[in-house]
Each structure stands twice: as C-alpha cells, then as structure tokens.
Amino acid sequence: MVRSGSAQSLRLQTQTVEPAQPQPQPSDFHQAMAAPGREAQHGDPAAEEARKVGVPVFVMMPLDTVRKDGSALNRRKAVQASLAALKSAGAAGIMVDVWWGIAESEGPRQYNFAGYIELMEMAKKAGLKVQAVMSFHQCGGNVGDSVNIPLPRWATEEMDKDQDLAYTDRCGRRNYEYISLGADALPALKGRTPIQCYADFMRAFRDHMAPYMGSTICEIQVGMGPAGELRYPSYPESNGTWSFPGIGEFQCYDRYMLASLRAAADAVGKPEWGCAGPGDSGSYNQWPEDTNFFRREGGWNTEYGDFFMSWYSQMLLEHGDRILSAASSVYTGVPGVKVSVKVAGIHWHYGTRSHAPELTAGYYNTRNHDGYLPIARMLGRHGAVLNFTCVEMRDHEQPQDAQCLPEALVRQVANAAKEAGIGLAGENALPRYDETAHDQVIATAAEKAEEERMVAFTYLRMGPDLFQPDNWRRFAAFVKRMTETGVRDVCREQVEREAQGVAHATQPLVHEAAAALAN
C-alpha cells in the first residue's frame, strides 16, 4: 500500500485528460475466443470449432517488413509464403510494427501507408488477423533490434534544436529512442504536441486502413515508450550503455521533467526534493546493493524515496492515460478493434526488496508497493488489453545471483489484470523455438481456468529460424496446444502427429519462406 504523507498530497503539474467513456466492441474473433468452452465431439464441424477455446497465437513480422520509404514490402514472396504457412499451422494472425519513422518520414502529416496496405491485403487473402503496433519509437538500441529505423527526420530535427525533448540521464546523456513524456503538452513538433502527432498518425492509419479495420485488423497496440513499451528508456543497450542485469538509471533530467519535479516538491512543502533525482541511485550497470538508494533498507524506503517514486511513476501513468485518451478518440466506434498496451517484463533483481530495475523504468513496484495494479486500472478505464512479455521464461533458467524471478513477475501482473478486470495478452521476450519454452507459455497462458487465460499470445518472431524444419514442426504443435486447450482427450502424441502432418504439408511453403527471408 502507498504510505500516507508525501505520496497522498502529491499534486502533479501535468495536463490531465478525462478518459473517453464509450469503448470499442470486441470483434467476433475475440468474442469467439472468450466464449464458454464446450466439450468437442470429433467429426462435427461445429464441435470441432468449439474445441478452439484456447488462446489465439499471432506471430510478429520482421522489423523491416516494409521498406524504409514506406512504398512497398521487403521480400514480398517471403511474406506471401510465410502467411500461407502460418495459416496452415493454425495461427490466428500476425503482428506488425507500423513505424512512425517510415509512414510519416517525409514531413508532418505526409503519410505513406502503401507498404502496410499491401500487407493488410495479403493477410486478408490468407485469412489472417492483424495486430498493428503504432510504433512511435526508434528501432535500434534494444534487445532484438536488427535494423535501424529512427524517428521521423522532421521530429529529430526539432530534438536537435531543443535537446530537452529527449529523455536525459543524470550525466546528461540524451536518448533519441522516444520523445520525453515531459514534452507531451508542448507544441514543439512543427506546431503540434507529441500527443497530437500520435493522435493524427493513428487517425490517418484508421482512415487509410478503413477497408480492413475490424475485419482483418483486430487490434491496435499503442506504443508508449522505448521498444513500444510503457516505460522510461532506463536500460538502453546502444553504445554499450547498459548490459543485463544492471539496474539502469532514472531518466528525469530533461528540463521539462525537472520543472515538473520542482513543482511536485513545492506542492508537498519540500522544495529541496525538487532539484534532481536521487543522487545515490548508482549507474546503469551497478546492482542494488552497490547503491545507497536501492540497497536493502536504502533511500527507496524513506519518505523522500516514496515521494520521488510516486512522482516518477505517476508521470508515466499520466503519459499512458493521455495517449490512450487519444487512441480512444480515434478507435472508439470502430467495431471489432481492441486497443492494447505493452508493459515490459523486468524480471531481474525482482527478488530484492527495492526491485531497482523496475523503479528506474517507472514501475513503482517494491516489496511493499504494487506497481502494476495502477497501470492495469489505468488501462481498464480505456478498455485496453495489457500485453506482457517474458511469458516463456522460467526462474531457474535465469542468473540466480541477480534474483531473476520472471514467473513470479508474470503472476503478479496477471493478478493485477484480473483485479482491474482487463484482458491480459502475452509475448515471449526472447526468440525461443524449444519445447521447454513452449511448455512454459502454454502453462502460463492457456492451461488455466477459462476466465484466467490470456486473450492472445504473440510469438517472437518470424524469420529463417522459425521455418527450420524442426522448429516449424514444434511451432505447429505449440499452436495446436495453445488454441485447443479445452480438449482434454487429445494426448501429446496425437498433437505431435498432427503437427508432423502440418509440417509435411507446408514443406514447400516453409522452404520458400526460409530461403527468401534469409536473403
């Protein structure tokens, strides 16, 4: 629970936005996924469909699916073969990043969605759904980033002129992955605020994709920070700044964030707390016990620590609320489209009291303070789904000296989603093609009481490795087990036999896709 005192009297000097009341209606697809399970009678087509009371599986497309000029797809033949193979394996659809830095690269409000329209048409013809990610962040500098797609040039030009539009750490390092949330209400981007830019982009996407909205496009995941996640860029991998399992650093040193911090400190009668973030919180690659702020009974567990973390995390929550309000204004009234938000799976040092890496990322989650329930409740006000990562990980696979507990973290987030009454979807944090990881995902996402199952799972990522024969056979079995978890009379061996049949039938497609993707 939040302690009384500074946190309760904290009044943030930021624009507040009332959430939109009407919510988009779930698509027939999502309603089918949420329908009560019924025992299957084999041979009856209706009963066969009723077997599928599990979790739909989507597959993330390559980061560079669309050319950097936005005009067309990269490796069109590979995409076509891949989609056909995914459909044959029983996948529900695909997820694709719609990059701000591609589709609005030429100038403000100059949109080019041609390559994405081509993809939607191919997905429609293949009978696949699409989760479209509004990617307002830079590609490059995070785990798994194999290509570089910066923010739109006209936006980075403004950041060059006013570098306080970029997140900034204590040493003054600027981060261009995502525009600082401290600038949300500033008309700093050619006369528009960042929030207005994001809203205009989402509206343009909706309008350009009108023939596919609600039929092919079933979900809009709204990017809210680095890697598309609702967090601060506290652990950037670029230039060797951070490496796992470092605690990261607070990102509150641009002048707009500092102005808010000063106002918040003045509001609680502690102006001395508003000069900077904690001075004893260490550096990116230190561990909690290396620092006075994060150690067992450190500064995080004081009145000042509670004040600072309440402010820092609330700034992130309000940022999410503003963008979701914009998304609601765009997508409310579009039948069949859900909105989702991705939250990072920061599992290292989870076993410590302070949960330091979560704190620097903006999640006020400690031994005695739940950082995920406020996020879930904020999403709930907008009817949004919480998408969470690291679903494939097991505690014992991680470095024990870093007290990594991904399973406990996933349980906490699932409980928060359940208490807030929102849907929970999952992703794997790292590429995994082995049955051990598949078993963990199935146990976490699907093999539960129906009301506790995840609403969807997105598999990372489509590429040559997925289409290697053994990996593809295991993936086909994984999809079947995820989507038919309501069937108790189908043994593992039968699933494996059916998966082998899928692998054999799709061999030409898979071979073509693997070869084309490797080029």
Side-chain angles (χ1 to χ4, degrees):
M1 299 295 293
V2 178
R3 293 192 298 275
S4 61
S6 62
Q8 289 182 339
S9 59
L10 183 62
R11 297 191 302 274
L12 300 177
Q13 310 302 306
T14 57
Q15 174 190 3
T16 58
V17 181
E18 289 298 319
Q21 295 305 312
Q23 302 298 338
Q25 297 301 307
S27 65
D28 293 340
F29 171 73
H30 281 87
Q31 288 175 340
M33 289 304 106
R38 291 166 290 180
E39 291 299 321
Q41 299 297 320
H42 298 291
D44 178 357
E48 286 295 311
E49 188 62 29
R51 293 173 66 193
K52 299 188 177 182
V53 294
V55 179
V57 175
F58 293 75
V59 176
M60 292 187 198
M61 297 294 288
L63 294 165
D64 61 346
T65 293
V66 171
R67 293 179 185 173
K68 286 190 176 182
D69 65 4
S71 63
L73 295 174
N74 278 318
R75 300 180 297 271
R76 191 179 191 283
K77 285 185 65 177
V79 171
Q80 194 162 22
S82 299
L83 297 187
L86 292 178
K87 179 65 176 179
S88 297
I94 57 173
M95 174 180 276
V96 64
D97 288 284
V98 182
W99 295 106
W100 187 29
I102 287 180
E104 198 181 352
S105 62
E106 291 304 306
R109 297 191 180 94
Q110 296 180 34
Y111 304 106
N112 182 359
F113 292 108
Y116 294 103
I117 292 173
E118 186 179 2
L119 178 65
M120 301 308 160
E121 184 62 25
M122 290 174 68
K124 176 184 176 181
K125 289 179 178 176
L128 294 171
K129 301 290 184 179
V130 177
Q131 299 168 320
V133 184
M134 303 291 99
S135 294
F136 300 120
H137 61 285
Q138 167 190 292
C139 181
N142 279 295
V143 177
D145 285 353
S146 56
V147 298
N148 183 53
I149 303 170
L151 301 186
R153 184 178 64 255
W154 54 269
T156 58
E157 286 172 355
E158 297 302 316
M159 296 173 78
D160 288 338
K161 294 175 190 175
D162 179 3
Q163 293 201 331
D164 286 292
L165 295 174
Y167 281 119
T168 308
D169 66 17
R170 188 171 59 226
C171 293
R173 277 173 291 219
R174 308 288 189 179
N175 188 308
Y176 273 51
E177 288 183 69
Y178 185 83
I179 297 171
S180 169
L181 63 81
D184 274 356
L186 294 173
L189 299 178
K190 310 292 186 185
R192 291 185 296 166
T193 70
I195 300 296
Q196 288 172 334
C197 290
Y198 305 151
D200 289 345
F201 186 89
M202 290 188 283
R203 191 173 296 109
F205 180 80
R206 179 200 66 191
D207 294 345
H208 281 79
M209 300 294 168
Y212 308 101
M213 297 299 296
S215 52
T216 298
I217 299 172
C218 65
E219 182 178 320
I220 300 293
Q221 186 174 111
V222 186
M224 296 195 170
E229 296 166 336
L230 178 63
R231 65 172 175 88
Y232 294 96
S234 55
Y235 50 98
E237 285 199 306
S238 58
N239 303 317
T241 304
W242 171 88
S243 60
F244 177 83
I247 57 176
E249 290 192 23
F250 292 115
Q251 306 290 311
C252 59
Y253 292 89
D254 65 75
R255 64 189 169 106
Y256 305 114
M257 291 289 286
L258 288 175
S260 174
L261 178 59
R262 281 192 296 273
D266 289 345
V268 298
K270 297 282 189 178
E272 67 275 15
W273 287 354
C275 298
D280 56 356
S281 57
S283 57
Y284 287 102
N285 291 312
Q286 288 188 290
W287 287 32
E289 292 304 314
D290 298 334
T291 75
N292 287 328
F293 189 78
F294 293 122
R295 61 183 171 81
R296 185 179 175 90
E297 294 298 340
W300 64 273
N301 201 28
T302 64
E303 185 183 7
Y304 164 71
D306 182 47
F307 159 79
F308 177 78
M309 283 312 310
S310 295
W311 168 79
Y312 189 67
S313 60
Q314 187 67 20
M315 289 288 281
L316 188 66
L317 277 171
E318 292 188 358
H319 174 66
D321 193 56
R322 283 190 286 271
I323 298 182
L324 273 180
S325 292
S328 294
S329 73
V330 173
Y331 294 110
T332 294
V334 181
V337 176
K338 294 285 286 183
V339 171
S340 69
V341 172
K342 187 176 177 181
V343 175
I346 304 174
H347 58 84
W348 52 104
H349 302 298
Y350 184 87
T352 64
R353 289 178 178 240
S354 66
H355 295 233
E358 292 165 85
L359 298 190
T360 58
Y363 305 153
Y364 187 5
N365 195 54
T366 67
R367 185 69 58 89
N368 49 23
H369 191 286
D370 188 338
Y372 298 102
L373 185 56
I375 294 173
R377 285 175 172 160
M378 183 271 288
L379 300 187
R381 291 197 296 274
H382 299 275
V385 170
L386 194 163
N387 185 288
F388 198 66
T389 62
C390 74
V391 176
E392 85 284 9
M393 293 182 176
R394 302 188 187 210
D395 293 349
H396 69 81
E397 296 173 339
Q398 307 302 317
Q400 294 306 296
D401 54 348
Q403 300 200 47
C404 303
L405 296 173
E407 293 176 83
L409 173 59
V410 170
R411 283 195 297 272
Q412 181 186 355
V413 172
N415 287 336
K418 183 177 180 181
E419 184 169 339
I422 63 173
L424 179 68
E427 295 179 3
N428 48 316
L430 300 172
R432 292 281 297 268
Y433 305 100
D434 57 287
E435 289 177 348
T436 300
H438 293 168
D439 288 347
Q440 180 66 13
V441 172
I442 290 164
T444 303
E447 287 182 345
K448 294 181 176 294
E450 189 172 344
E451 65 275 8
E452 295 183 356
R453 289 184 196 139
M454 290 188 175
V455 297
F457 180 82
T458 305
Y459 191 91
L460 182 141
R461 172 181 310 275
M462 182 191 291
D465 288 344
L466 175 60
F467 293 121
Q468 293 306 309
D470 287 344
N471 290 347
W472 179 247
R473 174 183 50 78
R474 285 190 289 263
F475 173 77
F478 166 73
V479 171
K480 190 167 188 64
R481 292 171 65 200
M482 284 284 282
T483 57
E484 300 186 7
T485 51
V487 184
R488 297 178 176 83
D489 58 345
V490 176
C491 65
R492 180 76 170 261
E493 290 74 16
Q494 181 179 334
V495 170
E496 294 292 343
R497 285 195 300 272
E498 293 180 8
Q500 187 65 50
V502 169
H504 179 74
T506 56
Q507 186 176 4
L509 284 171
V510 169
H511 179 75
E512 180 183 355
L517 285 167
N519 294 331

